[in-house]
Amino acid sequence: MCGIIGYCGYKNATKIIIEGLKRLEYRGYDSAGVALGLNGTLKIIKSKGKIKDLQKKIPDNLGTQYGIGHTRWATHGIVNDINAHPHTDCSGDLAIAHNGIIENYESLKNMLESEGHTFVTDTDSEIIAHLIEKYFDNDLEKAVKEALPLLKGTYGIVCAHAKDPRKIVGARNGSPLVVGVGNNEMFLASDVTAIIAHTKQAVYLEDGDVVLIKPESFITTDLNDRKITKEVEQITWELQQIEKNGFPCFMEKEIMEQPESIKRAMSGRIDKEQATAHLGGLNLSTKELINLERVKIIAAGTSYYAGMVGAYLLEAIPRIPAISELASEVRYRNPIIEKNTLYFAVSQSGETVDTLYAMKELQRKGATVLGICNVVGSSIARDSDGGVYIHSGPEIAVASTKAFTSQVTAFYLFALLLARMRDLSYSAGEKLISNLQSIPPKVEAILSQCSKLKEMAKKYAHYKDFLFLGRGVNYPVALEGALKLKEISYIHAEGYSSAEIKHGPIALINDETPSVFLVPDDDLREKIMFNMKEVKARKGKIIAISVEGDEEIKNIADDVFEVPRTHELYYPYIMVVPLQLFAYYCALELGRDVDQPRNLAKSVTVE
Ligand code: AGP
């Protein structure tokens, strides 16, 4: 949940590290710090707040050519300057920045304190600096390798030492770390966004790897000092993809990108001739796919809701029993692995620890788990048994938007593939493809009407509670709409099946609690209309997202946003986009920090 960068080269390290931290800020943004190599010492500067607050504290023209930096999302210890990373040893010569959690830090701290070490922070991470200090004998890499086996927990670390200068040591165990290979300069970062302004060559570290970077070289070894040869991979993301490009914030940019990102998720995967889909990375034989009896999907947050849509589609199209489950719950339930069951771990970042650990637990018990990920080279993408990249491009805003519609696209394609191996006819397959391909222009049409949602947000943003109500394949969309609103505007919102309100939530209805109803023209429309009347009868305000030409609804709802008609299974795309925009405009109306909402971070790498 934090961001790490290290640099070693001949350029202005301060500038490179600060720029890198700004690009990593979406990973954590409560405090930040740097350790900069300078005339045989390390200059440590830390600040509570955003990177811009840290930047103000750093003198111009420091003339440093190596150093490390960190942007924090607090787990142990309050948010203040002292608890910000990098942390130092007693001498102040060694600095470390850490992502992850050290579980046995208290016992290690007791041991080190009894040996004379003095701790100054409330963090678990500081222990790493003192432990390395214990073993340091003018060779930082050696000391790191001696210290790390004593740690229990997860880490991605970078460290520098004034007495072993012009080098950075990094190590990974459960928290991502990537080496950026430049020309007479090397980088270390927790994700590639921090380095793509400088290099497109990356080496992804695996758990147990240690790397030593110097300006001209990098060497990877394991903790036992055995050399490991790594492949240098090409980063596919472009610099302009991680910039706002004229948009006021990343969230708006990412919402607006959806016609393109949905197309990218389909690109090269539709076989019109055979009326089916090709998903190259599944690593499953035709026989295995035909024998599939069940699909289980594990994920968190928005990805979990995309999984719920996916499960609905898999039951509706190829008629395979499917369910989406919260990854955090699966792991501790001692899951039963049934035969001919395929699992999907869905994750935009590919680093969500709840999902990653659940995946490993399932694999340990013999399950095949495929990933549906956005970030290439991420932990879930690497450790899964195969999978589908959604190719959304970088998603920087903390609130996930374009990843949702692309994850859903991956499920449509998989459903089509399975269905065409079973009962779905050629012409039904063709129809499914043409419905899918008709989605991007429809999303485009919704986006072009965004000013109407902006007006609606002006009218409604001051309400304190909302209900989001949908049914069938749009039930998870209602949950997603509520999540979007609460996470970026801080307005309390609950998502329900509209059928469910009479079982409790209707008690909340009054003229201060608006309900957002999703009303497609499907088989459940009449029932949803009935629920709307129940809300109306209790003086509840109603916003309806309904289809073009539905005149009846205008007599009941206070406000209506019309969306293009589509086949009933495709409404999740059509319904979610107005909800993303509505949440976004409400947040703007309330003056929220849309891209970096309070208490949140983009990739959640703690349990
Ligand atoms: C969505 O807007 C969230 N901020 C969050 O729920 C997110 O979807 C969840 O943490 C899962 O992330 P992942 O897709 O990267 O695994």
Side-chain angles (χ1 to χ4, degrees), residues 270-272 274-277 317 416-417 419-420 423-436 570:
I270 288 178
D271 179 346
K272 280 197 167 171
Q274 302 295 327
T276 187
I317 303 170
L416 170 64
L417 171 70
R420 288 285 293 130
D423 292 340
L424 198 79
S425 68
Y426 182 86
S427 57
E430 275 185 317
K431 206 166 202 149
L432 203 150
I433 290 171
S434 78
N435 280 327
L436 199 51
Y570 298 82

Side-chain angles (χ1 to χ4, degrees), residues 299-304 346-352 355 380 395 397-401 403 407 480 483-484 487 600-604:
T302 292
S303 298
Y304 166 60
V346 186
S347 175
Q348 185 285 131
S349 62
E351 299 296 347
T352 300
T355 311
I380 292 174
E395 194 182 64
V398 163
S400 187
T401 53
Q407 288 163 342
E480 171 62 3
L483 177 65
K484 283 290 89 77
E487 69 180 333
L600 296 174
K602 184 64 180 166
S603 82
V604 185

Side-chain angles (χ1 to χ4, degrees), residues 70-116:
H70 186 268
T71 176
R72 180 175 187 235
W73 187 89
T75 55
H76 293 69
I78 59 163
V79 176
N80 60 19
D81 288 6
I82 293 175
N83 287 336
H85 299 219
H87 298 300
T88 51
D89 63 354
C90 297
S91 69
D93 285 337
L94 167 74
I96 66 106
H98 166 230
N99 283 355
I101 304 262
I102 304 304
E103 289 158 13
N104 60 338
Y105 82 99
E106 277 174 359
S107 60
L108 289 172
K109 189 172 175 180
N110 291 340
M111 174 191 89
L112 289 161
E113 275 177 337
S114 71
E115 291 173 7

